[in-house]
Every structure is written in structure tokens, then in C-alpha cells.
Amino acid sequence: MTTHHGWSGSPALRLAVQLPPTARAGVVLCPPLGQEGVIAYRTLRLLADGLEARGVASVRYDPSGRGDSADDGDPDAQVRSARAAAAVLRRSGVERIAFVGLASAALVAAAAVGDDDALVVWDAPASGRAWLRRQRALATITIGPDRIVDGVESLVGIDLGPAETAVVGALAYAPRSATTVAVVRPGAVPPRGLGPVEVLEVDGTAELLDGTSIDARIPADAVDAVVGRLDAWAPATAAPTTPPALDEVLDVDDRVSERVLRIGPDGLFAVETVSSAQDEDAPVVLLHNGGAEHRTGAVDYQVALARTLARDGARVVRVDRRGTGESSDVRADEDAFLFAQEWVDDQHEVVAALRVPSERLAIVGMCAGAWLAGRAVDEHPRLVVEISPNDYRRTPAAPGSYAGSAQAVADASRLRRALRAPYNRLVPARVRDAIARRGALGGVVGHLGPIVEHGTDVVVVAAPEDIERFERYGGRRAVRRWGAKVSVVEVPDGDHALFSPAMRRAVVTEVRSRIAETFPAWAVAG
């Protein structure tokens, strides 16, 4: 498959355009909002690959103000960005356009679509108001009551200011005369506002969207069904296309710029952030995201962190490990490399390609990325920051095994669910913890020992739930053993996934200050 990466427009969108030499039509794949978009990323990539194989072009994008795109405070940025993405396809020679919106993106696609364009809504919410209502309920459970700060509302994986909240809440559907298809779960019905439309029932949407990024499963049959329907809609005759005119560099502001990198023999996708005032011997900060998630996520904290650190004088790289985001070919049955040796190897590739001396290297990772940062023994960085660590295994997991275990828990049999409560009630916590330490989870001393003894300073930043686990698995013993080489920062009102604004603020502040303390000669006034 041929994918063109870059930025376009003002405010600039980060785009991935799949453009055959001749195309029968083009499809705008609108990204779902918040964590829905993180979970669905690989599925939309597979959908784009399937379309390209049928001679249909596509564009995937980050709306301005989100992900790797330029900052944008316009509350209408979601819909405007979808139309701007369609314009890129049209300028490349594609005449017939369809908009596809999965989950919350169905509302955006329906608002952006032209009268003569085709529309596919997949697992669409009833309205913007209904989507907000459900997301607020989930956010209250996940984040807690302190999720609104200065009028900005944190939902699960997205922050919305008052003006954008009003825009999203007002999104709705209207009857259309052009081709319109509603893809629904078995037994479900399309949004009533669309009026009479073609309905396509598919399995697999629940397995994709109703869990976490760890146990999400790409619904191959559903993707094939959507590809088949768009293939039937597209004209039989293809027209020549012209490669899109995309910018290779994004000027974030007058000091900071970003560019796409392809790293190592596996061609890992990464975004590098640098400052025009950067010293040639500036520290290099490698950012790892959590779980099976790509280089943004958690309300794009890594993007904000990278751009802030670049303004301070650092060179920053945020990378997609294999099986996440834009790295490696996507397959419906792909393994999740959570806590696997493949991700450790990816880290080796990235650091080797960056050619940075260990005394100028810092690695910052969240959750599974925190575990990975702690495996950087051969790289022996000057600083490691572990955000929300919750696993301390010394032996990497087999590919797919961790995700398989998570799926087994989510899909637990009736017998397993029946035994879980008595086990937790009858077996003392210290015994359960000892069993876990002998198994996959390991212990803090064994996890941190190799890098600390190589001279790396380690900082743990975590919410109370992860601090409790850190201490349970030997964290206090590690701090006593190594003193100032291991420091712990607890964020009392934080959360594991960084959905809460308090946790994200604390992480950015702590990482920024630790980088400045560790590399004082290169710090620039922020």
C-alpha cells in the first residue's frame, strides 16, 4: 500500500492519503472523537487498505487542534477538517467522494458531507446530545467529579471547551437523497434523523469499541462489508490521480516544528519535534504511549508534552511501536505486542537510529510504555520517567498473550466469574500478591535494578491506585536501596489513563522539571 504522510491547510491537518495511480472514487475516513478514535485507529487503517485494493482512494486525518495537527481553538474544527480532507482528495484528481464515520465520527461525517456525496455511518449515536450524555456518564465514573476545570470539560479521551461542547451537542442528522448507508450492530436501528436509509447489519463492532485499547479486536467481517458496499458504490471507471501536495514540516509556531520520521528496518512511524533555538548537543527525549495506543492518545498529552519540551530546548520523538498507529502492516488478526520482546526491540531500533549518546538520552513512558522505558538497559539513558506503571515483569510476554488474557477476563466464562469473588474473599491479599509476583507481574526491585545500576535516574509519577501497586510489589524497598536514584511522585487526584486534567498537568510539569534538572546546560527559558 502507498500512503502519503504530511500536513496540509491552515490550521494544518496531519494527513495520511492512500492514493492509487488511478482511482475510481475517494473516501474521507473521519476519526471518532476521544478514546473511540484511539481504539479504532488500526481498524480505519485496515479499511483504507481494503479500499485501495479496490482502486478507491482514501484520506485519514487528525482534525486541527487534535492529534498531530496544528493548534486550533475553532469549535467547528471537526466538521471543517473533514471538508478540508475531502478537498485534498479532489485536488488529487478524485471526483466522487464518500464520507465514512464510525461511532461519534458519524455525526461529523453527516455534518460535513455534500449533497452529492455518499455517506456511511457506522454504529452511529442517535445525536450529538445523546453522545455527550453517554460520554459524561462514562467520564464521571472514570475520571470523577473534578473533570471540569475553567469551563473545559474532560470526557474519556477528549477535552471540550464550552463552545465546542455546544457545537458537538447540536450535531444531528438530516434526510438525504444521495447514497446513504447505516452500518449497525445486529438488531440495532439507524438514527431516526437520517430517515429511510439502506441498513447493513454487521458483527464485531462491540468487540472493537466496547472495551479498552488492550482488548479491542479489529472486526474483519465488518470492514470487508463496508469496503464491499463502497466498492459497489464507486464508478467502474478510474481516473488518473496526482500525488497530494503535502507539507513535510509543520511549523507549530515561530519556534517549534515537527516532521515525520521512518525509523529502523521495520520503518517505525514517528514524529520529531524540534526548536529553532535548539543546541546541537540538546537532550533527546523519547516518548512511549501507553497500552496498545499510538503516539497521541490520552487527550494528546504526548503532543503537548513534546511541543513544550521542544520550546525548552530538547529534541523530542514520539513513536508508534509495531502494531500501533502507522507502524507495521495492519491485519485483522494481528498480535498485540504488549509487554513483548518486539517492543523492546523497537526501542533498540529507535535509539540506535537517533544516534544520541546515553548521557543525553531520556525515555518517558506511560503504562506499558513505562515498562518499556524500564527495559532500556542496553541504552542506559540518563533519565527514565515511568508514568502510571503497573507491571514489573522481567521476562517479556509472548506476542498476543497479554491482550489474550485481557480478553479472557472480559469474556470470562460463567464459572470463572463465579469463582473470582470467592478467591478474592478467601485468599489473603498478601498471598495473591505473592502469586502475582512469581508470575507475570514481577517486582519493582527486579524491574528497576538493571537500569539504576547502569547509572540511570528513575522517576515514577502515578495516581494512588498505581502507587499502591508500586509499594505492594516492592517499591519502598527499591527507594530504600537506591535512595535519590529512584524518586516517586504521587498525584492524589490523578488517574491511571491520564484522562483527568489534574493528572496530565502533573505529568507535563514533572517531566518538564526533571528534564531541566537532569540536563541543565541545555535548558532554555520556556
Side-chain angles (χ1 to χ4, degrees):
M1 299 299 171
T2 302
T3 306
H4 304 271
H5 292 283
W7 287 268
S8 177
S10 180
L13 309 182
R14 200 278 306 176
L15 299 170
V17 183
Q18 293 190 220
L19 195 69
T22 62
R24 300 160 54 210
V27 177
V28 179
L29 298 173
C30 301
L33 279 62
Q35 192 67 2
E36 292 176 344
V38 173
I39 291 172
Y41 199 100
R42 298 284 282 184
T43 294
L44 294 180
R45 268 197 63 194
L46 186 64
L47 180 54
D49 288 350
L51 291 169
E52 186 179 354
R54 306 287 184 97
V56 177
S58 68
V59 58
R60 294 174 288 110
Y61 64 95
D62 292 338
S64 57
R66 308 286 177 188
D68 296 317
S69 292
D71 294 337
D72 188 0
D74 183 354
D76 295 311
Q78 291 280 348
V79 174
R80 192 196 66 234
S81 295
R83 291 172 177 158
V88 171
L89 288 179
R90 290 190 171 97
R91 289 195 296 271
S92 298
V94 178
E95 295 182 1
R96 296 285 300 278
I97 298 291
F99 287 75
V100 174
L102 169 62
S104 51
L107 293 159
V108 176
V113 68
D115 291 341
D116 297 326
D117 302 326
L119 173 66
V120 177
V121 296
W122 178 358
D123 201 44
S127 66
R129 185 184 303 172
W131 183 81
L132 276 176
R133 185 165 56 247
R134 183 173 186 273
Q135 293 301 309
R136 282 167 170 156
L138 289 172
T140 299
I141 295 169
T142 304
I143 302 171
D146 299 327
R147 60 181 186 82
I148 302 177
V149 179
D150 298 330
V152 176
E153 183 172 6
S154 287
L155 302 176
V156 179
I158 188 169
D159 286 349
L160 296 176
E164 190 173 8
T165 300
V167 169
V168 171
L171 291 175
Y173 307 100
R176 290 170 34 82
S177 57
T179 300
T180 304
V181 180
V183 181
V184 301
R185 305 183 189 200
V189 297
R192 284 185 295 179
L194 285 172
V197 296
E198 179 184 344
V199 177
L200 187 63
E201 285 195 0
V202 299
D203 288 313
T205 304
E207 289 76 11
L208 170 66
L209 292 177
D210 291 357
T212 67
S213 62
I214 292 173
D215 56 20
R217 286 166 256 185
I218 296 175
D221 291 344
V223 169
D224 288 344
V226 175
V227 169
R229 183 61 187 87
L230 289 166
D231 180 38
W233 157 81
T237 304
T241 60
T242 302
L246 303 181
D247 296 327
E248 295 182 0
V249 174
L250 169 68
D251 290 323
V252 177
D253 54 32
D254 58 357
R255 294 175 57 188
V256 172
S257 62
E258 295 187 331
R259 64 179 178 131
V260 169
L261 303 178
R262 285 290 188 178
I263 296 178
D266 290 300
L268 301 175
F269 185 94
V271 176
E272 179 187 51
T273 310
V274 298
S275 167
S276 58
Q278 185 179 97
D279 189 289
E280 63 179 10
D281 293 326
V284 175
V285 182
L286 173 61
L287 299 181
H288 289 302
N289 210 2
E293 300 176 6
H294 60 289
R295 65 200 170 277
T296 60
V299 201
D300 302 334
Y301 98 93
Q302 286 207 141
V303 179
L305 177 58
R307 293 172 181 177
T308 298
L309 290 175
R311 292 184 186 100
D312 290 344
R315 174 188 175 199
V316 189
V317 175
R318 52 187 188 272
V319 65
D320 289 350
R321 304 177 291 268
R322 273 178 284 178
T324 69
E326 295 291 334
S327 288
S328 64
D329 293 337
V330 60
R331 306 190 324 269
D333 61 346
E334 63 187 11
D335 287 323
F337 296 117
L338 282 147
F339 302 104
Q341 182 63 40
E342 282 78 358
W343 280 1
V344 178
D345 295 341
D346 288 348
Q347 181 167 255
H348 292 332
E349 283 186 21
V350 173
V351 173
L354 294 177
R355 300 179 181 275
V356 54
S358 59
E359 65 269 15
R360 291 199 285 113
L361 175 65
I363 304 180
V364 179
M366 171 196 168
C367 187
W371 174 83
L372 185 57
R375 301 270 58 74
V377 179
D378 293 339
E379 292 77 17
H380 42 86
R382 181 69 185 83
L383 174 69
V384 159
V385 182
E386 296 196 9
I387 303 161
S388 301
N390 62 0
D391 196 295
Y392 305 100
R393 70 184 68 218
R394 292 292 303 279
T395 303
S401 63
Y402 189 92
S405 299
Q407 289 173 2
V409 172
D411 300 336
S413 66
R414 184 176 301 176
L415 176 61
R416 182 168 181 167
R417 291 195 301 271
L419 293 176
R420 187 180 295 157
Y423 174 81
N424 291 337
R425 185 176 67 252
L426 297 174
V427 178
R430 64 181 183 278
V431 176
R432 298 199 306 269
D433 293 342
I435 293 171
R437 283 196 297 274
R438 286 201 302 270
L441 290 177
V444 175
V445 172
H447 167 71
L448 293 181
I451 58 170
V452 172
E453 289 166 6
H454 271 79
T456 300
D457 291 336
V458 176
V459 181
V460 173
V461 184
E465 60 181 302
D466 290 320
I467 292 294
E468 190 273 335
R469 173 170 286 193
F470 175 82
E471 294 180 347
R472 213 183 332 139
Y473 289 103
R476 290 185 180 180
R477 187 154 58 94
V479 172
R480 287 197 300 269
R481 173 177 293 193
W482 292 303
K485 297 292 291 180
V486 177
S487 57
V488 180
V489 178
E490 180 173 356
V491 185
D493 46 357
D495 68 316
H496 173 80
L498 274 64
F499 292 145
S500 78
M503 187 69 184
R504 294 194 303 274
R505 283 197 307 272
V507 164
V508 171
T509 298
E510 195 64 38
V511 171
R512 188 182 184 193
S513 66
R514 297 290 178 152
I515 296 293
E517 291 170 9
T518 305
F519 308 101
W522 294 280
V524 178

